[in-house]
Amino acid sequence: MLDKYVLPDKKIHCRIIDGETVILNLKDNAFYFLNPMGSFIWNLADGKTKVNKIIDAVLKEFDVDYETAEKDASSFINKLSKTGVLSLYDKPQTALKS
């Protein structure tokens, strides 16, 4: 997974409300409320950035060790990819986030 590119699905809408990132999955009308690290990862999920680069960015932004950054980022990405909110690709992707 570390060498994959991450991109939100087209049917996802994201807004920042009172400083909190809120995601709406139009496929199942589920809402997701992201913590600061989740919001940071979400903003890097542009289809052009590999998971390992996202982990490197988490290391620089948050006071965590590599194992924690990898575990937290991987867990977040895996959870949202299983629900269809994020997708993983072998090649860079381009799409507009809402």
Side-chain angles (χ1 to χ4, degrees), residues 1-91:
M1 178 175 87
L2 297 178
D3 63 340
K4 302 282 186 184
Y5 297 89
V6 184
L7 183 69
D9 187 89
K10 294 178 216 171
K11 295 199 182 254
I12 301 301
H13 291 278
C14 175
R15 297 289 180 261
I16 298 175
I17 301 171
D18 293 330
E20 186 172 352
T21 302
V22 180
I23 298 170
L24 170 60
N25 183 349
L26 292 177
K27 292 178 187 177
D28 60 6
N29 293 320
F31 282 94
Y32 299 86
F33 300 88
L34 306 184
N35 65 22
M37 187 180 292
S39 295
F40 184 78
I41 294 168
W42 178 264
N43 287 322
L44 294 173
D46 59 3
K48 299 174 188 173
T49 306
K50 287 186 177 184
V51 172
N52 61 358
K53 295 300 180 188
I54 291 173
I55 292 168
D56 290 343
V58 168
L59 274 170
K60 292 177 185 173
E61 183 71 18
F62 297 91
D63 186 24
V64 295
D65 58 35
Y66 181 83
E67 288 179 20
T68 302
E70 181 181 21
K71 179 180 155 254
D72 290 354
S74 296
S75 175
F76 176 81
I77 292 167
N78 278 328
K79 180 180 178 182
L80 292 185
S81 66
K82 286 180 183 175
T83 62
V85 172
L86 290 174
S87 295
L88 296 167
Y89 298 93
D90 291 327
K91 296 180 181 180

